[in-house]
Amino acid sequence: MAANQEEVKLLGVVGSPFVCRVRIALKFKGIEYEFLEENLANKSDLLLKYNPVHKKVPVFVHNEKPIAESLVIVEYIDETWNNNPILPSDPYQKALARFWSKFIDDKVVGAAWKSAFTVDEKERGKNVQEALEGLQFLEDEIKEKKFFGGEEIGLVDIAGVFIAFWIPIVQEIAGLQLFSSEKFPNLYKWSQELINHSVVKEVLPPREPLFAFFKGRYESLIASQ
């Protein structure tokens, strides 16, 4: 299926790790698409039309058929365009990739985010602990592999872009030490491989504006207490 015969749109915001997942998959597959930047403070009619349930980005639109949720979208892209596979063909390996991708969302993303953007000390401590436990499981799983997918990036690596790029930003802003080469040497090495991968590097948002945006958000949160 040639990409140039398809109508492909992505509704998103540049600074979102979930949108970034989809952009990595699209770039990895060499799919041309139209990126429609959303303003989440004033959601477009198009976003409300295509994702009336969650009203969130990313939303992927293929030939006028909308799909929501980043990992669902990445799997759809992989099944629709067969070049450069993202998921393994072996059923067991495929199941493992899905398990660890969901694990990242369930056990790391939320906890790490709340660790930085929660004012209550007790609640923050609980989230820090949960994030550290989640990262330890991933440290044990990656071992000394280059990527979770082996020699090339796969579903788990794409899901983990939040860990590699966003956690270092939010932990610096909040003065936390969640993720470091000392605590998680294998996972840290993996994170450097991921953010320097030619495809990933090209679609990551610029760090400085993202840092400034999250710093402003953090300072507003602290000031409101």
Side-chain angles (χ1 to χ4, degrees):
M1 193 179 292
N4 60 7
Q5 294 172 345
E6 306 295 320
E7 188 189 1
V8 179
K9 296 174 187 171
L10 176 62
L11 283 69
V13 293
V14 170
S16 162
F18 306 106
V19 173
C20 187
R21 288 172 173 176
V22 181
R23 298 188 84 168
I24 292 169
L26 290 165
K27 187 74 184 169
F28 189 61
K29 296 277 190 176
I31 301 164
E32 291 180 17
Y33 64 99
E34 182 184 359
F35 184 69
L36 302 171
E37 179 84 24
E38 279 291 326
N39 175 2
L40 297 183
N42 184 22
K43 295 173 183 177
S44 72
D45 291 340
L46 206 58
L47 176 60
L48 300 177
K49 172 191 167 185
Y50 284 139
N51 190 7
V53 178
H54 296 301
K55 303 178 179 64
K56 290 179 182 177
V57 294
V59 177
F60 181 73
V61 186
H62 180 210
N63 295 334
E64 286 304 310
K65 295 179 290 188
I67 302 156
E69 301 295 315
S70 63
L71 294 178
V72 175
I73 296 168
V74 171
E75 284 211 41
Y76 175 84
I77 290 168
D78 195 41
E79 289 174 4
T80 305
W81 288 269
N82 298 325
N83 62 310
N84 299 337
I86 291 169
L87 276 153
S89 55
D90 177 75
Y92 179 67
Q93 293 303 321
K94 190 180 287 186
L96 282 182
R98 285 174 174 147
F99 172 85
W100 287 112
S101 301
K102 190 171 186 304
F103 177 88
I104 288 168
D105 275 358
D106 290 349
K107 299 294 183 183
V108 178
V109 173
W113 186 258
K114 289 174 194 167
S115 296
F117 294 99
T118 299
V119 177
D120 182 82
E121 284 299 321
K122 188 177 176 185
E123 193 63 27
R124 174 182 274 206
K126 186 178 132 193
N127 283 300
V128 166
Q129 191 54 41
E130 186 180 337
L132 290 172
E133 285 171 8
L135 291 168
Q136 186 60 56
F137 275 112
L138 293 166
E139 168 77 8
D140 296 339
E141 177 62 21
I142 188 76
K143 301 183 175 75
E144 293 181 2
K145 292 180 287 187
K146 185 176 181 181
F147 297 112
F148 285 94
E151 283 303 302
E152 190 47 278
I153 60 171
L155 184 67
V156 185
D157 306 288
I158 292 171
V161 72
F162 174 83
I163 297 166
F165 189 73
W166 271 262
I167 285 184
I169 291 174
V170 297
Q171 72 177 4
E172 184 181 339
I173 290 166
L176 296 170
Q177 270 297 314
L178 287 176
F179 183 48
S180 66
S181 56
E182 292 77 27
K183 278 193 174 90
F184 306 107
N186 293 331
L187 199 60
Y188 187 82
K189 186 181 172 192
W190 158 83
S191 75
Q192 297 310 295
E193 291 279 6
L194 184 67
I195 61 174
N196 286 296
H197 186 286
S198 58
V199 167
V200 177
K201 206 171 184 176
E202 206 167 319
V203 299
L204 284 174
R207 190 182 193 275
E208 291 314 309
L210 199 62
F211 186 93
F213 173 77
F214 287 131
K215 190 172 186 202
R217 193 165 168 176
Y218 178 77
E219 286 171 352
S220 297
L221 180 73
I222 297 303
S224 68
Q225 296 307 304

